[in-house]
Amino acid sequence: MADGVALRKDEEAVLLLEKAHYRHDPRWLLPVSPRLCLACALELLPEPGVALVRKKHLLSCFGDALLRHTSLVTQLVAQDQRVCIQFIRILFGLLCSVEDGSATNLCIEVLTQLMMQLKLEQTIQCLLSECHKELSNMPSMRGSLATLTLLGKLVDAIPALADQLVTEHGKLMEHLLRGLVYPNEGVQASVCYLYGKLYSSPLAAELLSGHFREKLYPLFLSTLDVAQTKELQINCLGLLRQLLKYDLFVSIIMDKSALAKSAGNDGGPPGETSLPLVLKKLLLSRDETLQVASTHCITAVLVHCPAKYALAFIHADVPEFLFEHLSSSNEALVWSSCSCLILLAEEPLFFSKCHTVYGIEAVVRSLQESLRMNNTELHKQGLLLFAEILTRQPEEIKLFTSSALCRDAGRALREAVSSPVLEVAAEAVRATCAFLRKDHQSAPPVQYRELQALLEAMLSRCVEFSQVSLNRRSLGHGYSRDSEKAIFRRGTFILSTLEGFRSACRLAVEFQNEPLAQENPFTAPSAEKEDTLEAFSEFLLSSCDSLCIPMVLRHLEQATQPALVEVFFSILHSLFVIVPHMKEKFSEKLAASSFIQLTLELKAVFCSGPSYSALNQVCSSFLYYMCLNLLSAPKKTEPPSQEELSAVSELLQHRLSQISSRSLESLAFLSDRQYVEGAARQKQYCILLLFYLAHVHEDRFVSEAELSVAVQSFLLSLQDQGECPPLTVLKASIYLLAVCQVQDSVLDEVVVSAIRKFLEGLLDLRLVYTHHPLLLCFFLSYPELMSRFGQRVLELWFSWEESCCEELDELPTGPEPTLPASLVTLFQILRSHPSILLILLDLIYSSPVDTARKVLVALRTFLRRNEDVQVGGLIRGHFLLILQHLLVEHGACPSGASGNLPLLLSLLSLVQLRSKAEQELDSMAMKLLHQVSKLCGKCSPTDVDILQPSFNFLYWSLQQTTPSSQKRAAAVFLSSTALMELLEKMLALTWEETDTPMTTLLCSAWLLTASFSAQQHEGSLQVHQTLSVELDQVLKALSFPKKTAALLSAAILCFLRTALQQSFSSALVVLVPSETRPPPTPGDAVLAPLGTSQVLSLLIGLQNLLVKKDPVLSQACVGCLESLLNYLHARSPDIALHVASQPWHRFLLVTLLDSGENAFLQPEVLKLMTLFVRYQSSSVLSCEEVGLVLQGAAVADPSTLSSSTLQALRGFFLQVQSMGLLTDHSTAKTLQALLEGLCPAASSAQPPPPDMLYPFLH
């Protein structure tokens, strides 16, 4: 510690002059360390005997104290002005006398700091005077370096000195000129530095303008041209940068440079140096600092007027070297080169000399490299340069000479638009907009996939940014100035993105006329066509649909920018052209998304006056094309003719731009009942069409009640003026009235009358029909319209109705399916107005087959689901009139009358089948039976479509009526000789036909024959025509049945059963023996007309049919077997018992009982066992087995059994009881209990008709 104190004392001693310090006043001593004494310094510094090292130490300590204790030192020096001035003179004298560079620098530093801190005018003037005097007294500029350097530092530290030097020491400029020509680059560098500081002051620069023009310019520029040291070069460039801030000096320099270049080109003597050449020379140097400085100077010239000064640098080929500098790793050099090139790009010669073609690869490569850095400003400047080149490049000069270079450029832009820095992404989006130009992308092959990836990145970045902004608001950030700025920034970025997307759309449109751009010519033929214009176009549509539209709509909820709206709607408009095969679907989706409303609202906000005419035109054009697309491919209505479409097109094209009112104002305009001129009327048409198209696509942005009133007023106005609206307008009016009609409200008669009058003037209602349930209700709700147009409307309705209810035509086996909404509406109308059924009946007869079938399906479904609606008489009566009319006009060949007649007959059969209870046949029903039977008689067996439903109707009419009515109906049928002849022909066809569509009809013929025979036999009815049937063929068909004709076999069995029940004595059916029949045996006489062999053959056939286990066929077999045994028993009881006890019966019974658990509870099995019990076939069914059946029946739940099973079970029990087979008391008691339990259930179940086999209602 003692050593440290001693060391400090030694240092302080060095700062003091020992021999004189004791005499000095303490006020000159600095109170803090270092302990300087100003008086000692005044005596020590000029003393020749004091070592320079000591003086330098003193200056260093003084400068350090001045920095650390500025206020104390300035107070110390400023105590006495004379002392202060003396101290300054001593310091300046030391500066001028020493040759040591470090001492000089210390003097300059101390003087500069002291002047800057003292801020005393007198001291500054003193120092400037000393400097001026020193320079004036110098015979040469050899020793002026220190003085010149001091002046430069002073002006740099105190900028106000520049004006003072120029105004008060003007002669100093002459010394500076002398220094500039002195052959010492150090002196020249100091002079340039001082000049630079002087010209940094606007006032000084103005005062020195003449000095520059007349004296300084040639010396300075030549000095810069020949400078060798970096110091001189930098200071010259610094002076140049200051000069280039002023238009005057730039003009002087560039004008003189142009003269110098002109003189050189003319071959004359070399004149003054040209600035572009000098700066080009510096660009060629390998020093990046000089390159950056020279680039800054070029930029400084160009910013004044690129159009005026860029030519000189372009002629000097400066752009070539600037492009090469873009590959530098020096970020400052790259940034400055980009800035300079951006200004040069404003001159067309920059492009016509193909500098951009030469340098574009460097630009792309530089952009790729810079994006790997973190210099955001460099990213923005590079993208700005790229965008300028892409934008200004002439179309006739191709920028990208290869698709690979174009691909690299696209990938660089894709990386840039994905930048997290919004400003960078925004510049990249602007560059992308310029990049998507046809001439930039025309180098084959066009990189569609790369363009698609670029657009995806651009849209994703925009969506991400807009979503982030929305999320911030959703977190609770309210509206404020900052939020408004954020919304504006988001809108600006979205606008830039949309402009880029619009450029892509424009590119796709332009490429549609370029065969080489349709698809990649280098793609293999078998490869998937992804890189094609078609795929790119579909991508544009998909991206707009999924990204652009939602993003813009979200933004429009917060702010509306006219420029953004204009670009957005121009994109939507262009997409109609880009993807023409999707324009209708796209238009439908836009309309369903309320774009008609949106467009009209935006037009009302911005286009109501003369402003935003471009926006009005874009919105109107979008609406025009969207409306035309919707009208060209309408939903569920007849498309307009080309003539109508042309008229509507002209109407929309001329009037849409005039619509800029709000919805309520448009409604009021539409409701105007005063006299409407032609232009105003066309505007009304236009408004009406817009409301119509909006409503068709569920865009209901006005009150339906108000719209309905407006449309009514519009129609009445047309009527008042005797005008007839265009078809499209009339269609729209009727549709809007139908869908906007308030429930329970009714139109005035005058409106309905006007509508009827308009419609009566049409050639066909189809021209104005729109398929909608409410429109159907509209026409059928007003008698005046229904009476005139009801049938045509219903026909049109069914012709448009899809076959959505075909599955409803099948008999439901489970829960009834839900009806379509259209059928629900129709059924409600039918329940309210049953008379409409008559119109539907006429439609079935007169409409095309497809339409008639739809009507039939609807009516069938209605009748099945609305059993409480009694319409049988209504339908039968109307059908009778139709049938009578048909038979009168087409009596000879009814099958050629109408292809829809089978459908009518099918409906008639359904109506008859719908009558479940037995009813007396009234006179109309008898007439109908007569006409149908007459119709059948006029048909041939091949008229299956007519005969099948007719037979259905005849059969069910005979089955579902009272016995007395059955007798009357049978008499009607038997009186029809033609019908009987037809049946005979059809029965004969049974032996010829194989599996054909006639099989079902043959079944019906056999069943009808059996029914007619039964009724005739029972009622002893008169027979006008007998039916001949070959018995051998009947037995053969049953003995050797066809595999797929189970129903036909069942029908023949029903016929044979009837014949057996009548003991073959029917007056109607004549059984004809076969010509090849063998002679009868002696025992056959008893069974005639059957023979023993035929009985056994029939028995085997019945057994074989039973083994098939078909429910319908088995029921018919058992019934026929029962009748056969009864027939045999009546003729020969022994033969009957013998037949009933055949051992094969047991095998048959076992086979049937093995079909599953509780198989004995099947109706046909129970009836078969009843037969065996009745004929005491103990070898087939023993008493023990009967007991087992009873035990099984005792545990069965009667509620789970069908009515036919209960009836068969009761018959079995009664047969067992009557035969006395059970001697066991407990078993007999069980049987009695079962009978008592079955009585209520069996009695409540109505037995089916004996021949209720008729599954052919098709």
Side-chain angles (χ1 to χ4, degrees), residues 1049-1051 1053-1054 1057 1102 1111-1121 1253:
S1049 297
L1053 284 169
C1054 289
R1057 177 186 179 184
L1102 293 175
V1112 175
L1113 185 57
S1114 297
Q1115 181 181 355
C1117 285
V1118 172
C1120 186
L1121 180 58
L1253 166 66

Side-chain angles (χ1 to χ4, degrees), residues 35 38 57 75 156 162 209 241 293 296 330 410 429 625 639 676 691 725 809 858 868 874 1025 1065 1091 1102 1186 1236:
R35 305 282 292 191
L38 183 60
H57 179 67
Q75 291 175 10
D156 182 41
S209 59
R241 285 285 302 277
H296 286 166
N330 187 317
V429 169
Y625 280 100
V676 181
F691 284 137
D809 192 35
D868 57 320
L874 189 68
Q1025 176 69 37
S1065 60
L1102 293 175
V1186 171
E1236 293 174 357

Side-chain angles (χ1 to χ4, degrees), residues 72-90:
L72 293 176
V73 174
T74 53
Q75 291 175 10
L76 179 69
V77 175
Q79 289 182 90
D80 191 314
Q81 188 174 359
R82 291 177 303 161
V83 173
C84 178
I85 291 174
Q86 181 63 25
F87 182 57
I88 290 171
R89 285 175 175 166
I90 291 173

Side-chain angles (χ1 to χ4, degrees), residues 77-379:
V77 175
Q79 289 182 90
D80 191 314
Q81 188 174 359
R82 291 177 303 161
V83 173
C84 178
I85 291 174
Q86 181 63 25
F87 182 57
I88 290 171
R89 285 175 175 166
I90 291 173
L91 288 175
F92 183 74
L94 180 63
L95 171 67
C96 295
S97 61
V98 298
E99 296 182 357
D100 183 86
S102 59
T104 301
N105 291 337
L106 281 172
C107 291
I108 292 173
E109 182 181 352
V110 170
L111 282 170
T112 303
Q113 287 293 327
L114 192 60
M115 292 299 101
M116 188 170 59
Q117 299 301 332
L118 286 174
K119 300 177 182 178
L120 297 174
E121 182 66 24
Q122 191 171 359
T123 57
I124 292 175
Q125 287 293 340
C126 174
L127 184 56
L128 293 179
S129 298
E130 293 294 325
C131 291
H132 193 181
K133 188 189 302 180
E134 178 68 18
L135 292 175
S136 300
N137 294 333
M138 285 184 181
S140 118
M141 297 300 291
R142 182 177 181 180
S144 64
L145 180 60
T147 304
L148 292 173
T149 303
L150 174 62
L151 285 173
K153 295 291 185 181
L154 283 173
V155 178
D156 182 41
I158 309 173
L161 287 182
D163 300 337
Q164 193 173 346
L165 276 176
V166 173
T167 54
E168 298 178 8
H169 302 276
K171 293 183 179 181
L172 184 64
M173 301 303 111
E174 300 299 325
H175 301 301
L176 295 182
L177 291 175
R178 287 171 53 206
L180 196 59
V181 298
Y182 185 75
N184 184 312
E185 293 202 353
V187 175
Q188 292 175 337
S190 297
V191 171
C192 288
Y193 183 83
L194 178 56
Y195 264 129
K197 298 305 175 182
L198 292 176
Y199 279 100
S200 64
S201 168
L203 177 60
E206 182 180 359
L207 296 173
L208 291 174
S209 59
H211 173 76
F212 175 79
R213 180 186 300 106
E214 297 168 4
K215 300 177 180 179
L216 178 60
Y217 168 73
L219 294 177
F220 152 70
L221 206 55
S222 61
T223 301
L224 175 59
D225 187 29
V226 300
Q228 299 297 318
T229 63
K230 186 174 181 180
E231 181 184 14
L232 177 57
Q233 291 171 328
I234 293 297
N235 286 356
C236 282
L237 289 172
L239 169 58
L240 182 60
R241 285 285 302 277
Q242 293 301 327
L243 292 170
L244 296 178
K245 292 179 179 179
Y246 307 102
D247 288 337
L248 175 64
F249 298 138
V250 171
S251 178
I252 293 172
I253 293 172
M254 295 307 295
D255 289 346
K256 291 183 178 295
S257 296
L259 291 174
K261 183 178 185 301
S262 176
N265 292 338
D266 293 340
E272 296 176 343
T273 306
S274 168
L275 177 63
L277 295 177
V278 173
L279 294 178
K280 176 183 174 181
K281 179 180 177 181
L282 292 174
L283 286 175
L284 290 171
S285 68
R286 297 185 178 180
D287 191 315
E288 290 185 343
T289 304
L290 295 177
Q291 291 173 344
V292 172
S294 61
T295 306
H296 286 166
C297 291
I298 297 173
T299 305
V301 173
L302 294 174
V303 294
H304 289 277
C305 184
K308 185 177 180 180
Y309 303 127
L311 284 173
F313 293 100
I314 293 173
H315 285 303
D317 292 330
V318 168
E320 177 181 342
F321 304 103
L322 292 174
F323 278 122
E324 291 184 358
H325 289 162
L326 293 179
S327 59
S328 171
S329 59
N330 187 317
E331 296 181 17
L333 178 58
V334 175
W335 188 93
S336 59
S337 299
C338 288
S339 302
C340 190
L341 287 168
I342 290 169
L343 293 170
L344 289 172
E346 297 185 26
E347 171 56 44
L349 185 66
F350 178 72
F351 298 95
S352 59
K353 291 193 71 173
C354 295
H355 284 297
T356 51
V357 178
Y358 169 81
I360 189 62
E361 186 173 358
V363 173
V364 173
R365 187 169 55 250
S366 173
L367 186 58
Q368 290 173 328
E369 293 297 327
S370 66
L371 288 173
R372 298 188 183 99
M373 307 174 187
N374 294 324
N375 191 334
T376 302
E377 293 300 321
L378 184 59
H379 298 169

Side-chain angles (χ1 to χ4, degrees), residues 906-917:
S906 177
L907 178 63
L908 187 62
S909 301
L910 176 63
V911 173
Q912 184 61 37
L913 181 62
R914 192 166 171 259
S915 303
K916 295 182 179 180

Side-chain angles (χ1 to χ4, degrees), residues 581-880:
H581 65 281
M582 293 289 289
K583 63 182 180 181
E584 288 84 8
K585 290 185 178 179
F586 185 49
S587 299
E588 289 176 6
K589 187 166 186 180
L590 291 175
S593 302
S594 302
F595 265 78
I596 295 177
Q597 175 186 358
L598 174 65
T599 311
L600 292 177
E601 288 178 352
L602 291 171
K603 282 168 63 67
V605 172
F606 294 108
C607 307
S608 55
S611 57
Y612 300 111
S613 59
L615 174 60
N616 185 22
Q617 186 60 39
V618 168
C619 291
S620 301
S621 182
F622 162 74
L623 271 180
Y624 167 73
Y625 280 100
M626 183 174 70
C627 292
L628 274 191
N629 293 335
L630 295 174
L631 291 171
S632 302
K635 295 176 65 176
K636 296 188 176 183
T637 186
E638 189 76 14
S641 65
Q642 192 58 45
E643 183 180 355
E644 294 173 43
L645 201 59
S646 299
V648 173
S649 172
E650 184 178 359
L651 170 68
L652 294 172
Q653 195 168 20
H654 288 89
R655 301 304 170 192
L656 274 174
S657 59
Q658 301 174 7
I659 299 175
S660 56
S661 54
R662 299 188 180 275
S663 302
L664 294 179
E665 296 171 354
S666 297
L667 283 177
F669 181 75
L670 189 62
S671 304
D672 190 1
R673 287 288 303 275
Q674 296 180 359
Y675 186 81
V676 181
E677 298 289 344
R681 181 69 79 195
Q682 289 185 343
K683 186 177 177 181
Q684 284 183 331
Y685 291 164
C686 215
I687 292 173
L688 189 70
L689 288 176
L690 290 174
F691 284 137
Y692 164 66
L693 292 174
H695 269 67
V696 166
H697 296 87
E698 303 299 328
D699 182 13
R700 306 188 176 186
F701 52 92
V702 294
S703 167
E704 293 189 348
E706 294 177 358
L707 180 57
S708 178
V709 172
V711 174
Q712 293 176 51
S713 299
F714 166 74
L715 292 176
L716 292 177
S717 172
L718 287 172
Q719 186 185 43
D720 294 342
Q721 295 184 202
E723 300 178 31
C724 185
L727 287 176
T728 309
V729 175
L730 182 57
K731 178 193 294 185
S733 303
I734 294 173
Y735 177 85
L736 290 174
L737 285 178
V739 300
C740 297
Q741 189 170 0
V742 181
Q743 190 174 9
D744 298 331
S745 65
V746 179
L747 296 181
D748 293 339
E749 291 184 7
V750 63
V751 177
V752 177
S753 178
I755 295 172
R756 175 168 178 167
K757 182 178 178 182
F758 289 137
L759 294 178
E760 285 176 342
L762 302 179
L763 295 176
D764 190 351
L765 192 65
R766 173 182 55 85
L767 300 174
V768 295
Y769 176 78
T770 303
H771 187 62
H772 195 284
L774 292 178
L775 190 129
L776 181 66
C777 293
F778 177 77
F779 272 95
L780 299 181
S781 298
Y782 296 96
E784 188 175 356
L785 296 178
M786 185 177 72
S787 62
R788 180 66 177 81
F789 308 106
Q791 180 170 347
R792 184 56 177 152
V793 166
L794 282 167
E795 182 180 3
L796 291 170
W797 192 86
F798 277 106
S799 66
W800 278 98
E801 189 66 20
E802 299 176 358
S803 56
C804 56
C805 56
E806 285 291 345
E807 66 277 4
L808 300 175
D809 192 35
E810 301 296 332
L811 290 172
T813 56
E816 291 185 343
T818 304
L819 287 175
S822 56
L823 280 185
V824 171
T825 303
L826 176 63
F827 290 177
Q828 290 173 349
I829 297 173
L830 292 178
R831 288 185 65 89
S832 303
H833 306 282
S835 60
I836 298 175
L837 290 169
L838 302 182
I839 300 177
L840 297 180
L841 208 59
D842 289 333
L843 285 179
I844 295 178
Y845 177 69
S846 61
S847 298
V849 176
D850 292 341
T851 303
R853 182 163 294 279
K854 294 176 185 177
V855 179
L856 176 64
V857 170
L859 276 179
R860 281 180 175 175
T861 307
F862 174 74
L863 294 175
R864 285 174 182 159
R865 295 188 175 224
N866 297 271
E867 296 182 356
D868 57 320
V869 179
Q870 301 300 322
V871 294
L874 189 68
I875 291 179
R876 280 194 290 264
H878 198 67
F879 181 78
L880 179 61

Side-chain angles (χ1 to χ4, degrees), residues 953-1062:
F953 173 69
L954 297 179
Y955 181 82
W956 283 107
S957 297
L958 197 59
Q959 293 291 333
Q960 292 185 316
T961 186
T962 60
S964 59
S965 293
Q966 285 180 344
K967 189 174 181 179
R968 292 167 56 208
V972 171
F973 301 148
L974 293 174
S975 66
S976 176
T977 304
L979 176 60
M980 297 300 110
E981 291 175 350
L982 174 68
L983 287 175
E984 185 175 31
K985 292 177 184 179
M986 299 194 66
L987 297 182
L989 289 174
T990 307
W991 327 128
E992 301 175 8
E993 296 293 336
T994 56
D995 296 330
T996 66
M998 282 193 66
T999 302
T1000 303
L1001 183 59
L1002 293 177
C1003 294
S1004 301
W1006 284 103
L1007 288 174
L1008 273 178
T1009 302
S1011 297
F1012 292 168
S1013 178
Q1015 292 298 329
Q1016 186 277 329
H1017 187 77
E1018 182 180 348
S1020 300
L1021 301 176
Q1022 183 180 1
V1023 175
H1024 299 274
Q1025 176 69 37
T1026 59
L1027 300 176
S1028 299
V1029 179
E1030 293 187 29
L1031 179 60
D1032 292 341
Q1033 292 288 357
V1034 173
L1035 298 177
K1036 181 181 177 181
L1038 297 176
S1039 300
F1040 305 100
K1042 300 168 185 175
K1043 294 182 179 179
T1044 58
L1047 291 178
L1048 181 58
S1049 297
I1052 296 174
L1053 284 169
C1054 289
F1055 167 79
L1056 183 57
R1057 177 186 179 184
T1058 302
L1060 287 169
Q1061 289 173 345
Q1062 298 171 359

